[in-house]
């Protein structure tokens, strides 16, 4: 990353896969970088602080929000689980986070949504910012809830909110679907940075997908967010292969295998 951005930044879920990638890339590039997670994080950089806490602990969240301009909210259960296991971290947790940000007068929240919020759209049709919410499962429902919360806090309280529908964050694409959905770590760093840097906007939805030849995303990012991804999953085509006749959930839907979990009937009925 280049110059220091004059924003005081909080990252929740900073001990996780995406959180570690961002915090390593951003260390030293912000006057204050605060890392929040239930897992304790060691830091040695003078501008980096860490707070160990739960999203359910509003006092810990208030401490985390102090003097912060921009929050990246990653802390959540990042996968399909029974609904009861998702309610506390992903629904109550998102609400607690937005409320703490409102109390602290934070100006921007970047919310880690997921392609799973629109997972039942077909890969061949693709998705866009205006795509109907079409969750692949209960996890996707919780991410759609977070987007709705973001829209509310943008309209009612004037917080600038970006919801990033992250697709497949991996070092390299792992299957046929990810030729369309891969988000490389370096493009992920660029995407969040573009949201931090963006001039004032109210509410935006953007996809976390690299510049893949077969990308599932059918429109450019919103004008406010200057995200220019560099990587293309196609360079992995030979090792992954592509079978146009494959008719599994993974090959048919934006949400991939999550769409097939507990699915009843014929995939053909989901157009
Ligand atoms: N990895 C992906 O491909 C992907 C795709 C779409 C969306 N996302 C979203 O991005 C975010 C980060 O994903 P990840 O892959 O880094 O997940 P991860 O599981 O690696 O990291 C999540 C972090 O959040 C923390 N956390 C969870 N619940 C918490 C709570 N109640 N209080 C405090 N900390 C808590 C965990 O300790 C963990 O360090 C998640 O919101 C996920 O839904 C990820």
């Amino acid at each position: 990353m280049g110059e220091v951005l004059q924003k005081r930044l909080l990252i929740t879920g900073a001990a996780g896969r995406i959180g570690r990638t961002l915090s390593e890339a951003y260390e030293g590039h912000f006057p204050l970088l605060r890392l929040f997670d239930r897992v304790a994080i060691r830091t040695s950089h003078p501008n980096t602080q860490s707070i160990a806490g739960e999203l359910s602990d509003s006092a810990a969240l208030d401490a985390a929000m102090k003097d912060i301009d921009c929050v990246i909210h990653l802390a959540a259960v990042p996968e399909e689980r029974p609904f009861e296991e998702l309610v506390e971290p992903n629904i109550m947790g998102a609400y607690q986070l937005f409320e703490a940000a409102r109390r602290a007068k934070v100006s921007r929240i970047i919310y880690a949504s997921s392609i799973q919020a629109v997972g039942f759209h077909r890969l061949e049709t693709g998705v866009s910012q205006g795509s109907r919410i079409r969750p692949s499962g209960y996890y996707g429902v919780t991410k759609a809830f977070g987007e709705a919360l973001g829209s509310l806090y943008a309209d009612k309280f004037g917080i600038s909110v970006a919801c990033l529908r992250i697709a497949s964050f991996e070092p390299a694409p792992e299957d046929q679907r990810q030729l369309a959905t891969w988000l490389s770590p370096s493009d992920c760093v660029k995407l969040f940075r573009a949201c931090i840097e963006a001039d004032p906007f109210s509410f935006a939805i953007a996809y976390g997908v690299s510049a893949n030849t077969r990308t599932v995303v059918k429109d450019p990012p919103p004008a406010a967010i200057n995200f220019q991804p560099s990587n293309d999953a196609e360079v992995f085509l030979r090792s992954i292969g592509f079978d146009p006749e494959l008719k599994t959930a993974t090959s048919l839907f934006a949400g991939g295998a999550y769409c097939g979990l507990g699915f009843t009937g014929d995939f053909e009925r989901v157009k």
Side-chain angles (χ1 to χ4, degrees), residues 173-201:
E174 295 181 340
D175 57 29
Q176 181 165 315
R177 165 181 167 264
Q178 292 187 9
L179 293 171
T181 60
W182 183 49
L183 175 65
S184 73
S186 63
D187 283 338
C188 182
V189 168
K190 279 189 185 177
L191 172 60
F192 279 89
R193 184 186 160 122
C195 294
I196 299 165
E197 281 185 320
D199 288 339
F201 64 86

Side-chain angles (χ1 to χ4, degrees), residues 28 34 88 97 99 142 146 151 153 155 197 201 229 238 245 265:
R34 190 174 288 142
E88 183 58 41
L97 184 287
E99 269 297 279
T142 70
S151 179
Y153 278 66
D155 286 337
E197 281 185 320
F201 64 86
R238 280 181 71 146
E245 300 305 318

